[in-house]
Amino acid sequence: MPFSQFVLKVHSRCDLACDHCYVYEHADTSWSRKARAASDEVLERTAGRIGEHARTHRLPAVHVVLHGGEPLLAGPERLRRAAELLRAALPAGCALDLRIHTNGVLLNRRFLELFAEQGIKVGVSLDGDRLANDRHRLFPDGRSSHAKVLAALALLREPEFRHLYAGLLCTIDVANDPVAVYEALVAERPPRIDFLLPHATWDHPPVAPEGAGPTPYADWLLAVHRHWSERGRPVPVRIFDSVHRTLRGRSSLTESLGLDPADLVVVETDGTLEQADSLKTAYDGAPATGFDVFAHSLDEVARHPGMRERQSGLAGLAAQCRACPVVRSCGGGLYAHRYRTGGGFDHPSVYCGDLLKLITTIRDRVSAPVAVPAQQRRPLTAAHLDELADGLGGPDAVAALGRAQLELSRRLVTAVGAAGGSPAWQLLAETDRTAPGALDAVLAHPYTRAWAVRCLGGEQRADLGGLAELAAAAAARGRAEFELVLPVRAGWLHLPTLGRLRLDGRSEAVLRGGPDGLRCGEHTVGWDRAGDHLWQPVRKVALPGWTLALEDTDPQRDSHQWPAADRLADAELLDWTGALREAWELLGRDLPGYAAGIAAGLATVTPLAPGPDGRDVSAAARQAYGAVGIARPTTAPVLALLLAHEFQHVKLGAVLDLYDLYDPADERLYRAPWRPDPRPLEGLLQGTYAHLAVAAYWASRVRAYDGIRGDAATAARRQLATWRAHTADAIETLAGSGSLTPLGERFAAGMRTGLAPALAVPVGAAAERAAREAVAADLAAWQGAAARR
């Protein structure tokens, strides 16, 4: 397995004398034999080796941490040289994630200007308030380092440097008050907090206060976890997020948890290549490999037995660990913490009991039922459900669906924010406090949920750029003052629900907001008024009793089975506006029961690219409540039909999020009369419910042609006869499946009631005969296909 993470020691001494430091205060003494600073030759050879490794394995990115000792002792010019050499050595297409970990006492404006120039993010060590920090982090003469670190953090939070702030690292001392430590860290507004277990082995167990219980470190962390959770998880905490992720079967965010193979190598100041620094706590020389950047490639280092053992996953753990119920979350703990003289690393972690209690308690807290007010547990009344079962659903019922969907979107976005984390999460939380309506407007956007589900479902890596876009859009709506780094996607900076700004040649940009509007560099973003000519707002169509967005800017809108269209030209926008106006008039006149629900719940129409051979295509995405995608048809009546049909899918999807209408264990496939392929039960239910609106639409067309002869009238009668027969057939298939829940049976009965008006419309013998022939032909074709299957 190739390496993708590198720790480059640029200086081997430190200006503090922290008594819990694994470099200077534990078993390994190799630091005293290392060069004080990495030479130009070491930096050049290291960069070359990393570039060679990235090229050989076609790595998309490498992560390098400039470390020590205290890396700032190397000085600005040596750090600049390291950054420039690393960037120059990487092949095209391989990104460099460059960071520095510092105690912060030397961090000043000159360093930060260099880091801004070179794109170096900064992690700072801080153990809490002054009392907590001064237990260990002192100068050699005993002076406190706390004030200097706070001054450095204040500088790091300034707008021009805030984007460099990577987070805080805190080594746990159980003698400190856990909540006080947490609050002191949060007060420094970090984008992330790392709580680190102090390094220890079975030979030198962790310190515990007199009278402490058997799991003092778990107890300490769980006190923080409860406090953190009760306050809405305002900042990501790596150890908690890692437990949450591994309990869901996802990867850990730290090498101290989970079974992910280690892919890290350390380069010392003299060019020697070593295993993880934490091994220095085991015994003198424990991290050594015998390799160096001058004589050995990184592939040779990867074949070192110690490296291979740390990449062996479950098989590399002690038998006791492999039998543990939380092993996939714990992963045996940090490798160094398993050491015991005479047995090496073939032991559980010295923190085994703490890790077991920490993981199982968090698991039980996460899985415990959350107390939800009764009105949220049952957002729909019985009358609402009956209205919806009929195929309709008035404004109150649809609005109740919308409220339930908003709550679900909140939970999903919280899950993404807590798992990944960024300054965007803090901005979202602040906007929720100061302008909750503004945040709700963004969270209710259909493609917010589509984005969150993709992140959580593994279809894409957690897209924290999307979180920043949501936060910025909500803060902008709330007229809040903020500054946030946003991604630039294919040349566009996006603000969901608002629009997008053209920014060619960048991968990210800083957006600033305030009561007077938004600015991005030299651009003024006037999302609700005239602004920069490169700004493309989301355009709204205002119709009598209904305003909807024509969404052609959101990067998440391509969530339907058909591809989304590009930005509409002005002439296309006019065509859409006219077609929607005519379709809305038709719906209001002929299908008023459906129109009322559409006006209450359909907020977005996403233009789709034309279908194959110019066919009319439309879609509703299961995870995008409130939106339908449509390729603009040639006539307004067809557009009306597509709006009614697709919004049925939207409504039923929202109902299925709240109630079980069928047994999900039923894996049988059922005949859908309108399709040649068999469908799972939910697919048949979705199609049947959508075709209630189709039958109602053709019934309205037949009534409109009452007494009129001609091809259009004949076609409408045949369409009605066919679709009502198909829908009635499907309702009976659902009812006879034996897999509907009692509520599902009630829903099927409601669909029968909803279809009755269409069944009562006379169409004439010729249309009935043509419909029977079409249905018989469809059935024969289906039976033939089934026999072949």
Side-chain angles (χ1 to χ4, degrees), residues 417-429:
S422 71
W425 180 244
Q426 297 178 48
L427 182 58
L428 275 174

Side-chain angles (χ1 to χ4, degrees), residues 231-236 406 409-418 420-444 448 451-452 463-478 480-484 486 495-496:
R231 279 147 185 78
R233 304 178 182 178
V235 58
L406 175 59
S409 292
R410 277 182 166 270
R411 291 172 182 264
L412 291 169
V413 171
T414 297
V416 175
S422 71
W425 180 244
Q426 297 178 48
L427 182 58
L428 275 174
E430 178 63 17
T431 305
D432 196 21
R433 186 181 66 82
T434 59
L439 179 59
D440 284 350
V442 175
L443 296 183
T448 294
W451 160 81
D463 176 15
L464 299 183
L467 192 71
E469 289 164 340
L470 296 175
R477 284 179 169 275
E481 290 189 2
F482 70 95
E483 177 176 300
L484 198 60
L486 269 65
L495 292 174

Side-chain angles (χ1 to χ4, degrees), residues 697-719:
Y697 171 85
W698 286 114
S700 75
R701 304 315 296 156
V702 169
R703 285 191 292 267
Y705 288 123
D706 187 33
I708 299 175
R709 297 181 180 275
D711 292 343
T714 299
R717 294 181 184 107
R718 288 182 176 177
Q719 289 280 6

